[in-house]
Structures are given as C-alpha cells and as structure tokens.
Amino acid sequence: MKITCCIHSLSGGGAERVMAGLANDLFCRGHDVSLVTYFADDARSLSIEPGVLRACLNLDVTGQTENRTSPRSGIDRIRQIRSRITTLAKVIERQSPDVVLSFCDRMNLDVLLALRGRGLPVMVCERSDPASQGLGLVWNWMRSRLYRQATTVVALTPTAKDYLRRFSNHVIVIPSAIKTPTSYSNREIACANRTIVAAGRLESEKGFDRLITAFARATQGHPDWKLVLYGDGSLRRQLQRQATELGINDRFEMPGWVRPLQPHLAEATIFCLSSHYEGFPSVLLESMSLGVPSISVDCESGPREIIDHGRNAWLVENETPALAAGIRYLIDHAETRESVGHHGREIIERFGWDKMVDRYETALARISSSTADAPSGANRTERPPGV
C-alpha cells in the first residue's frame, strides 16, 4: 500500500511517538509510506526511517508560514485556513496514496476538508478523549459534520467509541500500545532515588498543578522525596511558582522534554498520571512495562482500561485528596508498591506494539481494497470499511 500519514508535528507526547513508530513499522513491513507534518523537525523530533518520505509544510495552526504575525481579522483567519487546506491537499495528492491515515482532532479535520470529493479513503484517529477535548464552538461543529465523511474513525477506548458514534457509523477501537523494553527498572537504585516522576505537556489537562499539591501533602513527613516533571508547555512558570509557594521548590524539577524518556522513567521510584482526561496514555503503559510502580487518577477514558487496581498499578478517584492519599500509601508501603510494579510488566501481553501495528495494517488494507473495488463514480469515502 501507499500510505500517507498526517500529524501536526513529531515533537511532543504520546500521539507523536505512536505515529512515528507506526510510520516506521509500516515502512519496514514493505509499504510505501509518507509522513506529512505542519511543523518542521527540530532537536526534539522523533526519528523516522530514511525510507519514509517526509513533507514538512512549515505552517502553524492558523495556516501561516512560520515567523509571520497572527491574522488581524476573521477574514484573514479564514483566508489563511483556506491556504493551509489547499497546501495540504496538494501535498497529499502529490503522494498519490492508496489510503490516508491522520492523527489528532484538528489535523483530522484539516485532512477531511482537504480531501473532500477526491475519493481517497481516509482513516482519522482520535488520540484523546473526544468528549473532553473541546475544539471550540466552530471546530466542534465541524467535527460533527466532517467525521461522517471519514472511511473509518479510530477511537482508543470503548468509551470514546460510544461518543464518536454520534458522528460516524464506522468507528473502531484500536488501543495504544507499547514496545517490549530492552531492559527493566533497577528497583534497588530506583527505590533509593525516592523520586516521583510524571511526563507530558505542561498544559491544564495534564493536571500537574494538582499533582504538585498532592505531592506536597503526601511528602510532609518525607522531605527526602522529590518530584520530577518531564515535558514543556505554557504552564511552566505557573507550576514553578506553585512549587515555590508550597515550599517544595528544592524538591521539584522540570527538565523539559528528554529523548529517550525511557531511561528516566526507569529511574523513578513511582510514576504518577494526574490528567483530568486522557486518550490512552502511552507514558503510563511505558512506565508499567518497565516495572515502575504506577499510580493514576481514574480520569475519563484510558487508565481504567489499563489498570487492575492493587495488582498491576494503583487507581484512585479523580481528585487531589485521593491522589495525595494514594501517593502517601505507596511511599509508606514499599512491599505493596514493588509488587504492583512487578506485575505491571505484564501489561505488554495485553497492549503489545506489534498487535497494534497489525490492527492498523489490517484496517488500512481493508478500506484501501474496498475503495479500489467500488463501482466507477461511487463516493468511495462513504463505503463502510468492514472493520
């Protein structure tokens, strides 16, 4: 198959890691793969196989080339969005793909707009919880209309699938996955570190503000413990200020994005997921696969599909006091903590990487072949994929 993959960038969190890995593995399985992004690669970008054709549009989310000023009026904004859609359409058509695979909500909408009426099968993938990830009034309305045109819509969980069914009759579930680690966490060293680690974009949905509060409460009697947040974003200064106000500044670090993340996760005594909502958190899967004891709030979509509470990880109510109590419990009960960490390694049996790639490859092949078999003149994107 000739597959064109689309995502906003290759810098960032779980969605970007999955797309990069998926494009690489599809190429290694013998497919002709191209990868389109709005943003050019930088030092934080994930690596791509040399045989994967890269197309960087150098556009921001308003459709401007980088380094230009923001649009000054609604008309300017519309013009620049149209320019972005036109550019995207030309780039995809130049690849002459059999099928298009798009990740993340706004990119999905751009791809569907760019390919309207062109007869190309399109698979769009939601990488967060669509019920919680608001796009704004106009784009939410656009999603409700445009997702009907997608050949297949991919949800990460059954909960997300139920929500997306209002937009499409062709929704399937493909959970995220994790590759088998080449080594595991050295628990003797990690326990001696007395470190709680979290990772993700420093934005409100990740709930790092309540993690800082929960950590401060949970470690009042444990001043030798520290908290490390890997990632970057608009809330960096606010989170640093909060840590200072709570008196934990000397036990709090934000190193930014690091590549690879895995060795830093492996050094953690405890991994913590504090998000207000998630899709299917790859970083939680990764920490569990390494044998790092992990705790998560029971946010909508994701963690409850992964965690068997008390056996392979710790799941607490979606509120700050419960998170603080859970962290304190795991600090105080090392034997229980290390037991759930050990059983967490079994997560690879349920969410192994190759199984996920198999499912994407099968689904892409089905919609590609069903479209190729469509009668001449048929609207190919309206045919069900049979998945």
Side-chain angles (χ1 to χ4, degrees):
M1 285 183 293
K2 291 190 68 175
I3 306 167
T4 293
C5 302
C6 301
I7 191 169
H8 52 282
S9 79
L10 291 179
S11 302
E16 293 85 346
R17 290 199 299 271
V18 172
M19 175 57 92
L22 188 56
N24 286 337
D25 282 8
L26 289 170
F27 168 76
C28 291
R29 291 185 179 199
H31 300 289
D32 187 343
V33 180
S34 56
L35 180 55
V36 179
T37 61
Y38 283 149
F39 303 114
D41 294 341
D42 57 28
R44 299 180 300 151
S45 296
L46 296 150
S47 61
I48 297 297
E49 291 284 345
V52 174
L53 180 64
R54 286 286 286 115
C56 303
L57 275 59
N58 293 324
L59 301 174
D60 68 17
V61 294
T62 65
Q64 305 157 288
T65 56
E66 291 180 351
N67 301 320
R68 286 185 58 182
T69 57
S70 298
R72 296 182 178 179
S73 70
I75 294 176
D76 288 338
R77 183 70 175 268
I78 291 172
R79 285 174 177 165
Q80 295 193 5
I81 291 174
R82 292 173 99 183
S83 174
R84 180 179 80 227
I85 300 303
T86 300
T87 302
L88 180 61
K90 290 178 179 178
V91 169
I92 294 175
E93 286 195 322
R94 196 178 303 139
Q95 313 302 329
S96 299
D98 298 315
V99 63
V100 177
L101 173 64
S102 177
F103 266 29
C104 301
D105 39 40
R106 281 293 299 274
M107 190 71 183
N108 294 342
L109 298 181
D110 284 355
V111 168
L112 290 169
L113 282 170
L115 299 180
R116 291 183 73 181
R118 285 174 165 82
L120 276 173
V122 180
M123 176 185 289
V124 299
C125 307
E126 283 279 348
R127 302 305 301 179
S128 188
D129 176 16
S132 302
Q133 181 82 2
L135 305 178
L137 184 63
V138 172
W139 289 104
N140 280 335
W141 180 84
M142 293 286 284
R143 176 166 60 182
S144 71
R145 298 299 186 272
L146 289 171
Y147 271 26
R148 299 172 186 173
Q149 301 174 18
T151 318
T152 298
V153 177
V154 178
L156 289 168
T157 66
T159 300
K161 177 181 179 179
D162 289 342
Y163 180 84
L164 290 168
R165 275 177 168 166
R166 68 187 68 186
F167 307 144
S168 171
N169 293 324
H170 311 305
V171 185
I172 63 174
V173 176
I174 304 180
S176 198
I178 188 69
K179 294 183 179 181
T180 302
T182 55
S183 62
Y184 296 100
S185 174
N186 183 320
R187 298 312 301 160
E188 183 178 354
I189 295 175
C191 288
N193 288 337
R194 295 182 175 84
T195 300
I196 295 173
V197 165
R201 291 176 294 108
L202 305 184
E203 305 297 343
S204 59
E205 65 266 25
K206 296 302 182 182
F208 290 140
D209 55 340
R210 63 177 175 176
L211 173 56
I212 292 171
T213 298
F215 172 79
R217 293 178 184 177
T219 59
Q220 284 180 351
H222 299 276
D224 51 345
W225 281 70
K226 65 180 179 180
L227 174 63
V228 181
L229 304 184
Y230 291 101
D232 215 338
S234 64
L235 298 184
R236 169 177 283 274
R237 290 184 180 179
Q238 178 179 320
L239 295 174
Q240 188 68 64
R241 185 165 57 250
Q242 180 186 0
T244 300
E245 292 171 352
L246 290 172
I248 61 167
N249 191 51
D250 59 338
R251 301 188 289 126
F252 176 64
E253 300 175 11
M254 289 189 292
W257 287 115
V258 294
R259 294 281 188 267
L261 178 61
Q262 190 173 98
H264 301 277
L265 289 177
E267 294 174 352
T269 316
I270 300 170
F271 171 81
C272 184
L273 187 83
S274 57
S275 302
H276 292 284
Y277 62 89
E278 275 288 347
F280 205 89
S282 297
V283 69
L284 175 61
L285 292 174
E286 191 168 4
S287 66
M288 292 173 67
S289 74
L290 291 168
V292 176
S294 301
I295 179 173
S296 173
V297 293
D298 188 17
C299 62
E300 192 62 41
S301 183
R304 71 183 65 160
E305 310 286 338
I306 299 169
I307 292 176
D308 180 3
H309 173 63
R311 186 178 188 280
N312 65 1
W314 215 251
L315 191 66
V316 300
E317 293 181 13
N318 193 12
E319 55 185 32
T320 303
L323 181 58
I327 292 173
R328 180 61 181 264
Y329 185 89
L330 293 180
I331 289 175
D332 290 340
H333 297 82
E335 185 175 346
T336 299
R337 180 183 76 220
E338 294 307 308
S339 175
V340 299
H342 176 76
H343 288 293
R345 290 163 51 171
E346 299 167 3
I347 202 67
I348 200 73
E349 298 172 10
R350 292 172 55 207
F351 302 110
W353 181 266
D354 287 343
K355 292 179 182 178
M356 183 198 72
V357 178
D358 289 344
R359 296 183 70 178
Y360 271 104
E361 186 178 33
T362 298
L364 289 166
R366 285 182 178 176
I367 67 173
S368 176
S369 62
S370 66
T371 302
D373 294 339
S376 177
N379 185 340
R380 300 190 297 179
T381 59
E382 293 182 356
R383 285 177 56 86
V387 178

